[in-house]
Amino acid sequence: MNELDETLELLHRDARTAPADLSAARARLLAELDASPAADVVPLRPKRLRRFALPAAAAVAGVVAVTAVVVAQQRPPAPAPGPIAAPPVGTTTAVPTSAAPDVRLMSAVQVLTRAADLTVGAADQPVGPGQFRYVGEHTWVQRGVHTGDAAGYTYLWEQEVDLWIPADEHDVWQQTRKILATGKFLGGSVPQSQAPEPAIEDTDQGQWQGRCGDFFPKSKPPKKCGDASDWDSPAFYATLPHDPAALYAKLQQLTKARGSTPSVMFHFGIEILRAGQMPAQLRAQWYRALAKIPGITVQAAEANLDGRTGIALGLDDRHEIRQLIIDPATGGFIGERTIAGAEPDEPWIKPGTQLGASAIRTAVTGRLGEVPPK
């Protein structure tokens, strides 16, 4: 798979040395990047590396950091829970329900099942000729420096990533990345006064265009249009089954190289949703497949992501607590977060630390580069 192995490399150190038999699209471009920071600088990027480049030196060294995210408020100084707000404007509309149950009393399986039921009644906003599907991501990403064994420090950066996908994927796509803030210090083996912030690299922010989403055409092997193994391609979703049991088996197959553990399957399942391209009818069955993963619990009945309120479903593997955020009123996926577990990957990170944030919204727009209003 083009994306899976790169994603799974981000789970934990015990998984980082596993054979790289599934190369990510982002990994293909790393070999072509001319400017690389020192190998001791590690961008602790949340999951989807295609959206935030990993320095080539670090990639070659096999140094890939923990992927972690937390819920963020609308442009907050640091990620933190926020007040209840109106649902987002997105690409789907759901059939309203008259007697919504109290989600605080529901199990994770019940929440996912209800979200699936609501999503079955949703309709995707079509992308017509000359239009674009917009996927916006407001995220807090980790950027760390390793200075030795069990030594280093970690910062949290705020980033905005916008993607425009044309109705015909063979046409020109556009992606922009912007670093909004860099100074949130999460901790280290040295005080912040002795921990200089890592430099912003060329691939941390900028604008790229390319047909079929091929933003780095010189990378090897080249990105393929219509690649059914790339979840940035509509072809990926066209090949997925719509039966929950078959989707669960598919998740097991895709994560076999990492043992198909619950945390790996849950992590990968979230990353697919995070791409913002899954059709509503398929997303309903995807929720039902995720509900079959053991160990998922309701961890927050009111989680706020950029002014949107959802319920957080999480899976704790002691290193980190990965959470999926769903709007209980519409069944929409609005983002995800990760919190440091009882045994964080980095010794200077305290358990319970909020490590980053990612809020996702989708819409349809009529012009390349146009950001739809929230």
Side-chain angles (χ1 to χ4, degrees):
M1 310 299 295
N2 286 340
E3 299 288 349
L4 174 60
D5 197 61
E6 189 73 28
T7 296
L8 299 180
E9 280 296 318
L10 296 169
L11 276 174
H12 303 300
R13 289 179 177 174
D14 57 350
R16 293 175 192 163
T17 57
D21 55 316
L22 299 172
S23 59
R26 176 58 57 209
R28 295 198 303 264
L29 74 90
L30 296 179
E32 297 300 313
L33 297 179
D34 295 327
S36 298
D40 60 341
V41 179
V42 184
L44 305 184
R45 163 79 175 110
K47 283 72 62 181
R48 282 168 51 78
L49 289 178
R50 79 191 80 178
R51 299 192 178 194
F52 197 87
L54 183 69
V60 171
V63 183
V64 184
V66 178
T67 64
V69 291
V70 301
V71 170
Q73 295 179 352
Q74 188 99 7
R75 296 295 179 270
I84 296 177
V89 177
T91 58
T92 61
T93 55
V95 175
T97 56
S98 55
D102 189 342
V103 295
R104 294 171 297 179
L105 305 178
M106 299 173 68
S107 68
V109 171
Q110 289 173 323
V111 171
L112 284 166
T113 301
R114 173 173 165 74
D117 292 341
L118 288 169
T119 306
V120 165
D124 290 309
Q125 184 178 349
V127 182
Q131 292 185 318
F132 300 85
R133 185 170 303 282
Y134 166 82
V135 182
E137 181 178 9
H138 175 211
T139 183
W140 289 83
V141 300
Q142 291 184 63
R143 188 84 173 193
V145 174
H146 289 164
T147 57
D149 291 340
Y153 52 88
T154 304
Y155 277 93
L156 202 63
W157 289 8
E158 184 183 12
Q159 187 192 32
E160 194 172 71
V161 180
D162 299 301
L163 177 68
W164 289 267
I165 306 168
D168 182 349
E169 69 170 313
H170 293 81
D171 291 338
V172 174
W173 300 33
Q174 179 172 306
Q175 184 186 80
T176 62
R177 307 173 191 166
K178 182 188 299 182
I179 298 296
L180 303 176
T182 62
K184 176 66 176 177
F185 187 66
L186 289 187
S189 58
V190 296
Q192 184 175 1
S193 61
Q194 301 176 26
E197 292 186 37
I200 296 177
E201 302 298 328
D202 292 341
T203 50
D204 292 338
Q205 58 183 5
Q207 177 178 298
W208 297 267
Q209 290 186 347
R211 295 184 182 278
C212 302
D214 188 5
F215 302 125
F216 303 91
K218 293 183 179 180
S219 63
K220 302 295 182 182
K223 182 179 175 69
K224 298 178 180 178
C225 207
D227 186 353
S229 67
D230 181 356
W231 67 69
D232 266 344
S233 170
F236 176 85
Y237 304 95
T239 63
L240 292 179
H242 281 244
D243 174 73
L247 280 173
Y248 183 81
K250 183 69 173 180
L251 272 173
Q252 288 181 312
Q253 174 191 342
L254 294 175
T255 57
K256 185 178 180 180
R258 292 295 185 274
S260 298
T261 64
S263 61
V264 170
M265 292 179 65
F266 190 54
H267 179 91
F268 181 51
I270 291 174
E271 289 309 296
I272 297 298
L273 290 169
R274 189 173 169 185
Q277 295 195 51
M278 184 175 289
Q281 297 302 307
L282 178 59
R283 189 168 67 249
Q285 308 313 319
W286 195 259
Y287 285 156
R288 291 191 171 99
L290 293 180
K292 297 178 181 295
I293 299 175
I296 302 175
T297 61
V298 174
Q299 299 197 345
E302 292 181 354
N304 183 279
L305 271 148
D306 275 6
R308 293 170 290 172
T309 301
I311 183 168
L313 309 176
L315 197 155
D316 185 353
D317 69 357
R318 294 194 60 77
H319 295 287
E320 65 180 31
I321 304 169
R322 188 73 192 276
Q323 294 183 339
L324 164 69
I325 315 297
I326 294 176
D327 183 336
T330 66
F333 168 73
I334 62 175
E336 43 79 39
R337 68 182 179 184
T338 302
I339 299 171
E343 300 174 2
D345 287 306
E346 305 297 354
W348 54 83
I349 298 294
K350 295 180 180 179
T353 299
Q354 297 180 337
L355 298 170
S358 184
I360 308 296
R361 72 185 185 102
T362 60
V364 174
T365 182
R367 184 165 56 89
L368 190 67
E370 178 182 55
V371 177
K374 293 184 178 180

